[in-house]
């Protein structure tokens, strides 16, 4: 019997999401004690969660491809190459012996319009 070692770190920040797939949102399945329940996982407000893969910028750092989770399925079903910004996100990095390192960005809401005041003056496109 092997024992899995698991470590998680969560950090808050803002940034942008560049969608890598088109119309690819999937329901985030709920598990209890490692077993699927057949239901979708919900956030603290009771909203069902969906996910897709995207290129993510978090606190000014390019993270590459990361799983993005959001309660709004439609915002995750944008076309490939679409970019959206978020003011507040929670990045969870997990390390498990059997599965390696993985990162998941949880965004409760994307900004409806790009707020240019979020950008630094260096015109790099990084959010403050």
């Amino acid at each position: 019997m092997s024992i899995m070692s698991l470590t998680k770190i969560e950090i808050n920040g803002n940034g942008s999401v560049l969608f890598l797939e088109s119309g690819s949102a999937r329901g985030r399945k709920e598990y209890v004690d490692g077993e699927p329940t057949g239901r979708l996982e919900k956030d603290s407000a009771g909203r069902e969660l969906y996910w897709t893969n995207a290129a993510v910028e978090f606190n000014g750092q390019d993270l590459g491809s990361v799983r993005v989770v959001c309660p709004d399925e439609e915002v995750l079903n944008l076309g490939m190459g679409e970019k959206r910004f978020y003011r507040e996100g929670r990045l969870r990095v997990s390390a498990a012996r059997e599965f390696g390192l993985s990162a998941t960005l949880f965004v409760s809401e994307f900004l409806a319009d790009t707020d240019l005041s979020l950008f630094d003056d260096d015109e790099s496109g990084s959010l403050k």
Side-chain angles (χ1 to χ4, degrees), residues 16 54-66 126:
S16 63
V56 170
E57 181 188 78
F58 183 83
N59 284 349
Q61 299 295 313
D62 182 4
L63 302 181
S65 180
V66 170
S126 296

Side-chain angles (χ1 to χ4, degrees), residues 23-89:
S24 62
R26 301 164 191 78
R28 186 172 164 95
K29 295 186 168 84
E30 178 186 68
Y31 288 83
V32 174
D33 298 327
E35 297 295 323
T37 65
R39 297 184 301 262
L40 293 184
E41 189 177 336
K42 295 183 179 182
D43 66 8
S44 59
R47 300 175 297 181
E48 292 180 337
L49 294 174
Y50 300 88
W51 69 272
T52 192
N53 291 317
V56 170
E57 181 188 78
F58 183 83
N59 284 349
Q61 299 295 313
D62 182 4
L63 302 181
S65 180
V66 170
R67 180 170 285 191
V68 178
V69 176
C70 181
D72 186 347
E73 181 180 14
E74 291 306 310
V75 80
L76 295 181
N77 278 332
L78 295 175
M80 188 165 55
E82 292 288 324
K83 191 170 191 177
R84 290 294 180 263
F85 298 90
Y86 60 94
R87 190 179 304 274
E88 184 74 18

